[in-house]
Amino acid sequence: MSYFNDVMDRLKEKLGVEEDKDIIELFDGMSASAFSQRKRKGSVPYEDIINVCRDRGISIDYVIKGKPESFEAELTGGSGSNDKSIWIPYHKDIQSINSDSSQFVTFPKDRYPELSESSTIHAASFSGDSMEGNILDGAMMFINMSDQEIASGKIYVIRSKDETMVKRIFIDPSDETTLLLRSDNIFYPEFKVSPEKIEVIGRVMSVYNRAKLA
């Protein structure tokens, strides 16, 4: 099956529909013939999909990348590692992410291989609706604390003054010395800041919207 079909099947699954026409109706201004042409070429309409996901509170990462939404791990007060499992520092919220953690999430390496590639990954729970559409209230985020170089369009944990927040950062196309801080929830305002006004704590590399800690 093509990547185009995989993406559309995941979107249909989350929307609870089965036919292409049910999706086309949600894509602003797209005709059935235009959709069919994109399907033949394998040209995924990313902007339309992202807009639908944001409107419906659907994980963009799941629909576009096929990344799982569920995460299961044990919460422990100890730390360590072995060939089969991994321990990652856990923070109950992003406000405490720069402080030393006394808790860890532990899980099998083979279940989440992407999380065993770096020793600088931390886990934190997310609260609120500012990133709705991609990161839902109660989601588990994994942050690479060593990835602090801004790549336009990626999601970061940042600190501005005394507030720690999660935002998607863009470099202003009209002024490369200015950054745009955006929430995925379109009802939140966009902010313009200069790079020296924020501290980048790390890049959000994985998000699991259904997290269970035993």
Side-chain angles (χ1 to χ4, degrees):
M1 183 178 289
S2 70
Y3 172 66
F4 182 98
N5 289 334
D6 288 342
V7 171
M8 294 305 165
D9 283 347
R10 287 192 290 267
L11 183 58
K12 289 174 186 175
E13 172 200 337
K14 299 305 291 183
L15 291 170
V17 300
E18 297 182 355
E19 303 294 331
D20 286 347
K21 64 179 179 63
D22 298 317
I23 292 178
I24 297 169
E25 292 173 355
L26 301 176
F27 292 167
D28 188 28
M30 183 176 294
S31 65
S33 59
F35 183 88
S36 296
Q37 191 173 42
R38 278 184 170 272
K39 190 173 185 177
R40 287 194 300 271
K41 294 180 178 179
S43 176
V44 177
Y46 291 106
E47 185 174 351
D48 291 298
I49 291 171
I50 289 170
N51 288 336
V52 170
C53 287
R54 287 175 177 169
D55 288 344
R56 303 300 180 94
I58 297 169
S59 169
I60 298 170
D61 269 357
Y62 174 70
V63 172
I64 291 179
K65 300 176 184 178
K67 293 177 68 174
E69 296 179 281
S70 60
F71 175 82
E72 293 186 14
E74 292 184 9
L75 192 61
T76 177
S79 64
S81 62
N82 56 47
D83 291 340
K84 294 184 178 180
S85 60
I86 186 169
W87 280 257
I88 288 181
Y90 170 73
H91 308 269
K92 64 179 182 179
D93 55 53
I94 60 172
Q95 303 302 322
S96 62
I97 199 167
N98 255 6
S99 60
D100 291 336
S101 174
S102 61
Q103 291 186 305
F104 295 77
V105 288
T106 178
F107 49 86
K109 284 183 178 181
D110 58 358
R111 188 178 300 175
Y112 309 98
E114 74 278 8
L115 300 178
S116 62
E117 297 174 356
S118 173
S119 61
T120 60
I121 296 173
H122 283 224
S125 294
F126 180 82
S127 61
D129 64 354
S130 63
M131 299 301 289
E132 193 171 276
N134 191 28
I135 308 176
L136 304 183
D137 185 40
M140 177 73 73
M141 301 184 303
F142 287 89
I143 301 103
N144 189 339
M145 307 287 275
S146 66
D147 191 349
Q148 298 173 344
E149 184 174 350
I150 294 173
S152 191
K154 300 296 185 180
I155 299 175
Y156 296 87
V157 177
I158 62 173
R159 179 171 289 118
S160 178
K161 296 181 180 179
D162 295 327
E163 184 179 6
T164 303
M165 63 189 83
V166 177
K167 296 295 177 187
R168 195 179 294 275
I169 302 180
F170 293 86
I171 298 171
D172 190 340
S174 63
D175 180 4
E176 293 186 355
T177 64
T178 300
L179 301 176
L180 305 176
L181 307 184
R182 293 179 185 169
S183 301
D184 281 355
N185 187 331
I186 61 174
F187 295 104
Y188 278 69
E190 175 183 272
F191 297 96
K192 288 188 176 185
V193 298
S194 55
E196 62 269 18
K197 295 293 185 180
I198 65 169
E199 175 193 356
V200 178
I201 296 172
R203 180 177 65 85
V204 177
M205 56 173 291
S206 293
V207 175
Y208 295 89
N209 283 313
R210 293 195 295 271
K212 180 180 179 182
L213 298 179

